[in-house]
């Protein structure tokens, strides 16, 4: 399995150690004493200091497995904590976002959004939404690119107490409609077109196509003008954002922040599971916001003068927590970049860091490996001395990429924080703290204070140092999911059926003699492509929905650039044996059904998929074929020759590359 290969890779450099840089520890937000407090004690102290409450909480934690409730009795508003309180405290002129458009930091469209301006935009949009009937408890769908209106829309919802679901801009209209219908959204916020890598891409048209096929409960579509393209507008349903807010007040008193119970729903974020239907991960107000803000403060060693940049997309949990809720709840200044790493040039990231004096950068191993492939000359051409802390998230970071990041971006001195967490965990759970932890390239190191992680074997025993097993969490944490939307059975089955007393994360891990955690990738039918979780079954359903496909099985194989790549095994209807053209058609079909991120890297046609006598596809074998590894026992197959034919195809494809 690819995770083992990576782990061997990790072992070879496991002996390297990087203690905190001198001087860093002396002034760091976190000192070693942070680990001393008890779990509830730690989070209660943070909740009291870090958040503003309309009504203080009475009970820190109520734990009725598998459901946790935090800060009961308390009332607060997430948007108030992210925006209004900073203005009220006299920080209205502080920059919330340096907004960098697709054309990069030299483009005319750059602008700075202060906390006071952010507040006015949020109030106006909240008033606009109110005029459409949105109020406390009205679910709202958001399908926007990395424009400032994305955080504005999220915060406007939070202000009203309207839960949101953000759908990643790269998803297809069908995927949008499915999520919006599941949550029961009556309003969808989108944009005319997206700008990415110097090109325009349809968004409103995607949304229309998706809505036409489902999600009929959507009564209003709000359309942001990003490119000004002429897009069809449906009478009575569609309104332009600027028209909606043209005549409304931007005075915060015209739209007070709704005091919400700690456990009121803040948002749903849909993520892939081991079956086709996306899971609506439930996050509530107080615990999530606290976990986001606390981890953001300590893990990145945030300073009042920091310029922080998380280069993820707000459409994923990383962006929710570490572009929107965490940094704003800390009153931080962030970069919000609309574009991609290679446009207008391969040095665009480094010119952003130079222009704004970014001191904290948070990105993914896939992005680091892309930069590695292009070479260090792009980073070297810019002054990156403002950087102090580098973060990584989304997939295991191979030590080679870790070292490259530290050397060529971090000037050989910046601590590199590998942070492990998930959509379901809400915020970082395993991470080093700069100034405290000695780093090991490839290891996410220790559980964050107030987090109880362990590695279990299949029987639920703790695995000793060096041994591999399943990563579990034994005690609740504030930002943990509060279940799956309207699906208690699936929540219990997915996360709580393997061990009765612990949250099962679905990742393999190892703990070494120092208590440091080494993550080894997913152990279920979920692939991780560029740090994005994609369910193999979702891709299979998309393939089978094409008339030429009789049956499909999908697996992930290790990929040097993207961590994993999707490989699809397809058997066709009739006598068709497949062709390069059909492979292209099918790849596009998947892109249309789900989104480009799910497009298989490789399609292997086979007259039949390998099945056991009971008719089950042997996925383990397909993985071995995809990874070009020995097959092992094939005696349970109905027809072992099926696999040999596939192996020959994989070998041929590799030669043609
Ligand atoms: C899965 C969660 C949380 C933000 C991004 C992805 C993998 C995440 C790491 C890391 C090794 C990691 C895990 C996890 N993962 N961070 N630092 N080291 N693996 O969120 O889509 O919910 O995916 O990403 O496999 O389960 P997500």
């Amino acid at each position: 399995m690819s995770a083992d290969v990576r782990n061997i890779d990790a072992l070879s450099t496991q002996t390297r150690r990087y203690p905190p840089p001198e001087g860093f520890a002396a002034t760091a937000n976190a000192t070693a004493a942070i680990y001393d407090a008890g779990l509830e004690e730690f989070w209660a102290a943070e909740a009291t200091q870090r958040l503003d409450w309309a009504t203080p909480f009475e009970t820190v934690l109520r734990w009725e497995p598998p459901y946790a409730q935090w800060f009961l009795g308390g009332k607060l508003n997430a948007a108030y904590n992210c925006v209004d309180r900073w203005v009220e405290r006299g920080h209205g002129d502080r920059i919330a976002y340096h907004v960098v458009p697709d054309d990069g930091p030299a483009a005319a469209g750059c602008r700075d959004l202060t906390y006071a301006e952010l507040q006015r935009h949020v109030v106006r949009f909240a008033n606009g939404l109110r005029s459409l009937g949105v109020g406390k408890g009205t679910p709202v769908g958001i399908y926007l690119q990395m424009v400032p209106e994305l955080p504005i829309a999220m915060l406007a919802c939070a202000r009203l107490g309207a839960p949101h679901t953000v759908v990643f801009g790269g998803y297809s209209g069908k995927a949008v409609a499915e999520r919006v219908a599941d949550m029961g959204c009556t309003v969808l916020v989108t944009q005319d077109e997206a700008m990415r890598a110097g090109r325009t891409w349809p968004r409103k048209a995607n949304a229309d196509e998706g809505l036409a096929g489902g999600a009929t409960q959507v009564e209003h579509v709000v359309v942001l003008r990003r490119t000004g393209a002429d897009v069809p507008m449906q009478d009575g349903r569609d309104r332009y954002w600027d028209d909606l807010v043209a005549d409304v007040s931007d005075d915060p008193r015209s739209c007070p922040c709704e005091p919400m119970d700690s456990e009121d729903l803040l948002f749903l974020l849909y993520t892939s599971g081991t079956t086709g239907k996306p899971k609506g991960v439930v996050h509530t107000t107080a615990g999530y916001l606290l976990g986001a803000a606390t981890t953001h403060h300590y893990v990145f060693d945030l300073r009042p003068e920091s310029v922080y940049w998380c280069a993820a997309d707000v459409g994923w949990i990383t962006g929710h927590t570490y572009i929107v809720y965490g940094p704003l709840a800390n009153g931080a200044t962030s970069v919000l970049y609309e574009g991609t790493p290679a446009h207008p040039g391969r040095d665009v990231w480094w010119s952003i860091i130079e222009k704004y004096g970014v001191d904290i950068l948070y990105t993914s191993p896939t992005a680091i490996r892309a930069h590695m492939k292009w070479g260090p000359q792009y980073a070297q051409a810019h002054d990156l001395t403002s950087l102090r802390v580098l973060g990584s998230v989304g997939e295991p970071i191979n030590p080679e990429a870790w070292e490259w990041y530290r050397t060529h971006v971090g000037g050989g001195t910046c601590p590199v924080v590998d942070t492990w967490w998930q959509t379901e965990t809400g915020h970082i759970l395993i991470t080093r703290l700069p100034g405290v932890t000695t780093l090991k390239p490839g290891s996410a190191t220790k559980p964050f204070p107030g987090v109880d992680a362990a590695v279990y074997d299949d029987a639920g025993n703790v695995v000793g140092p060096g041994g591999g097993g399943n990563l579990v969490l034994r005690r609740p944490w504030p930002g943990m999911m509060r279940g799956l939307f309207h699906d208690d059975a699936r929540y219990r089955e997915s996360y709580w059926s393997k061990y009765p007393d612990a949250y099962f994360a679905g990742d393999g891990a190892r703990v070494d003699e120092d208590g440091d955690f080494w993550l080894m990738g997913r152990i279920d039918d979920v692939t991780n492509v560029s740090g994005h979780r994609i369910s193999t079954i979702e891709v299979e359903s998309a393939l089978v929905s094409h008339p030429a496909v009789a049956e499909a099985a999908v697996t992930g194989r290790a990929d040097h650039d993207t961590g994993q790549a999707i490989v699809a095994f397809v058997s066709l209807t009739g006598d068709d044996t497949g062709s390069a053209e059909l492979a292209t058609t099918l790849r596009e079909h998947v892109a249309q059904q789900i989104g480009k991120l799910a497009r298989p890297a490789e399609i292997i046609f086979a007259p039949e998929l390998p099945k056991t006598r009971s008719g089950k596809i042997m996925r383990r074998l397909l993985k071995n074929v995809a990874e070009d590894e020995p097959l092992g026992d094939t005696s349970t197959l109905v027809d072992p020759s099926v696999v040999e034919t596939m192996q020959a195809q994989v070998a041929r494809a590799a030669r043609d590359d």
Side-chain angles (χ1 to χ4, degrees):
M1 176 179 156
S2 58
D4 291 335
V5 176
R6 280 202 209 99
N7 196 50
I8 291 162
D9 190 13
L11 283 172
S12 61
T13 52
Q14 206 174 9
T15 45
R16 254 176 261 170
R17 300 278 193 280
Y18 297 98
E22 249 172 69
F24 207 116
T27 57
N29 289 345
T31 61
I34 196 175
Y35 291 104
D36 295 346
L39 183 145
E40 287 185 42
E41 189 193 347
F42 173 77
W43 290 114
E46 290 292 334
T48 310
Q49 291 158 27
R50 200 167 289 288
L51 298 181
D52 271 43
W53 298 83
T55 308
F57 60 89
E58 288 157 8
T59 308
V60 178
L61 170 64
R62 184 177 299 157
W63 178 221
E64 286 158 6
Y67 289 98
Q69 292 177 295
W70 286 85
F71 311 120
L72 291 165
K75 281 185 185 290
L76 78 175
N77 183 282
Y80 178 80
N81 275 277
C82 288
V83 185
D84 296 61
R85 63 167 169 164
W86 303 120
V87 180
E88 288 173 14
R89 288 183 194 173
H91 300 312
D93 291 338
R94 188 185 289 171
I95 292 162
Y97 291 117
H98 293 293
V99 177
V100 183
D102 180 56
D103 279 337
C110 291
R111 63 188 167 116
D112 291 340
L113 207 58
T114 65
Y115 274 89
E117 288 166 328
L118 183 61
Q119 184 186 39
R120 286 197 288 276
H121 285 296
V122 170
V123 169
R124 282 177 76 192
F125 195 59
N127 274 325
L129 286 176
R130 271 213 300 201
S131 73
L132 301 178
V134 175
K136 184 173 175 177
T138 316
V140 174
I142 303 177
Y143 178 50
L144 290 169
Q145 211 67 36
M146 287 284 287
V147 288
E149 287 81 1
L150 175 47
I152 288 166
M154 293 162 76
L155 293 162
C157 288
R159 187 174 192 94
L160 298 171
H164 57 70
T165 191
V166 177
V167 184
F168 171 59
Y171 272 126
S172 66
K174 185 166 175 270
V176 177
E178 188 179 16
R179 287 156 175 76
V180 161
D182 190 70
M183 192 180 183
C185 302
T186 50
V187 177
L188 177 66
V189 184
T190 187
Q191 63 191 82
D192 49 7
E193 292 179 322
M195 281 303 302
R196 269 179 87 70
R199 280 185 51 190
T200 59
W201 306 83
R203 283 295 172 267
K204 172 66 164 57
N206 291 358
D208 281 342
E209 200 187 309
L211 292 183
T216 43
Q217 83 290 359
V218 172
E219 293 162 16
H220 303 283
V221 178
V222 181
V223 183
L224 173 77
R225 294 185 216 255
R226 170 61 184 89
T227 64
D230 196 15
V231 292
M233 297 289 279
Q234 188 176 311
D235 243 6
R237 188 194 71 176
D238 303 350
R239 293 280 297 278
Y240 278 110
W241 177 303
D242 44 340
D243 295 341
L244 185 69
V245 301
D247 298 318
V248 301
S249 171
D250 64 3
D251 183 335
R253 286 165 304 185
S254 70
C255 183
C257 294
E258 185 72 35
M260 303 296 284
D261 284 339
S262 290
E263 285 296 336
D264 276 336
L265 179 61
L266 181 61
F267 65 82
L268 296 184
L269 190 59
Y270 287 85
T271 189
S272 296
T274 51
T275 69
K277 194 173 167 279
K279 303 193 270 198
V281 173
V282 173
H283 283 296
T284 56
T285 307
Y288 169 79
L289 189 65
L290 180 73
T294 306
T295 50
H296 181 254
H297 175 80
Y298 291 117
V299 172
F300 300 112
D301 196 48
L302 185 77
R303 300 298 167 86
E305 66 279 8
S306 278
V307 180
Y308 158 88
W309 181 21
C310 168
D313 194 293
V314 171
W316 306 116
I317 192 70
T318 308
H320 278 59
T321 306
Y322 296 110
I323 299 177
V324 182
Y325 289 110
L328 295 177
N330 287 330
T333 296
S334 305
V335 171
L336 185 71
Y337 176 42
E338 185 182 36
T340 56
H343 173 85
R346 285 174 173 179
D347 67 340
V348 60
W349 274 29
W350 319 123
S351 53
I352 290 173
I353 290 170
E354 184 169 29
K355 174 172 174 183
Y356 296 106
V358 171
D359 65 330
I360 305 163
L361 175 65
Y362 192 28
T363 184
S364 67
T366 292
I368 298 162
R369 285 192 295 265
H371 288 294
M372 252 172 103
K373 207 157 102 179
W374 299 333
Q377 65 276 21
Y378 299 103
Q380 279 158 5
H382 292 272
D383 180 0
L384 305 182
T385 50
S386 55
L387 286 170
R388 269 187 326 119
V389 179
L390 303 175
S392 168
V393 64
E395 33 173 327
I397 178 164
N398 48 312
E400 193 193 358
W402 196 103
E403 297 277 1
W404 192 93
Y405 194 24
R406 185 174 182 277
T407 307
H408 296 291
V409 181
T413 56
C414 292
V416 174
V417 209
D418 181 11
T419 62
W420 178 90
W421 58 297
Q422 309 178 295
T423 305
E424 293 89 337
T425 72
H427 51 83
I428 293 169
L429 292 191
I430 302 183
T431 179
R432 82 14 152 177
L433 295 174
V436 180
T437 324
T438 291
L439 301 179
K440 297 174 185 175
S443 168
T445 71
K446 301 270 196 293
F448 188 78
V451 172
D452 182 1
V455 173
Y456 278 3
D457 66 14
D458 279 332
N461 305 309
V462 173
V463 177
N470 298 317
L471 179 66
V472 297
L473 295 148
R474 295 183 293 197
R475 295 278 299 148
W477 62 97
M480 82 187 278
M481 70 192 300
R482 302 302 198 262
L484 292 174
F485 191 59
H486 290 170
D487 205 344
D488 173 64
R490 192 174 179 196
Y491 173 58
R492 291 175 188 271
E493 168 61 29
S494 304
Y495 307 100
W496 300 93
S497 60
K498 187 150 181 81
Y499 305 112
D501 60 340
Y503 169 88
F504 170 59
D507 280 319
R510 226 170 262 261
V511 181
D512 67 18
E513 305 69 33
D514 304 323
D516 285 327
F517 284 71
W518 299 77
L519 277 305
M520 304 192 303
R522 300 291 304 182
I523 55 171
D524 53 18
D525 291 331
V526 174
T527 58
N528 185 331
V529 180
S530 303
H532 300 142
R533 243 203 287 181
I534 299 163
S535 133
T536 53
I537 291 163
E538 218 172 332
V539 181
E540 286 165 10
S541 320
L543 284 166
V544 176
S545 74
H546 191 280
V549 176
E551 218 172 13
V554 166
T555 183
R557 69 155 151 70
D559 183 273
H560 183 70
D561 298 323
T562 56
Q564 279 196 305
I566 296 178
V567 181
F569 296 85
V570 171
S571 73
L572 298 169
T573 49
D575 297 330
D576 201 342
T577 53
S579 61
E581 291 72 43
L582 183 59
T584 309
T585 307
L586 293 180
R587 293 174 72 240
E588 284 320 310
H589 180 70
V590 174
Q592 243 209 334
Q593 294 288 308
I594 310 176
K596 280 202 198 111
L597 71 164
R599 196 160 48 185
E602 201 177 320
I603 292 195
I604 292 162
F605 294 108
E608 253 183 277
L609 299 180
K611 289 196 185 139
T612 61
R613 274 169 244 277
S614 60
K616 277 183 84 171
I617 296 176
M618 270 189 83
R619 290 169 186 282
R620 175 185 63 76
L621 268 185
L622 293 175
K623 194 163 185 78
N624 291 353
V625 172
E627 303 253 16
D628 203 10
E629 276 173 10
L631 294 181
D633 183 14
T634 57
S635 61
T636 55
L637 286 182
V638 178
D639 178 4
S641 73
V642 169
V643 203
E644 284 150 31
T645 322
M646 288 176 170
Q647 278 184 307
Q649 264 205 60
V650 173
R652 204 166 44 239
R655 268 203 314 277
D656 296 347
D657 264 353

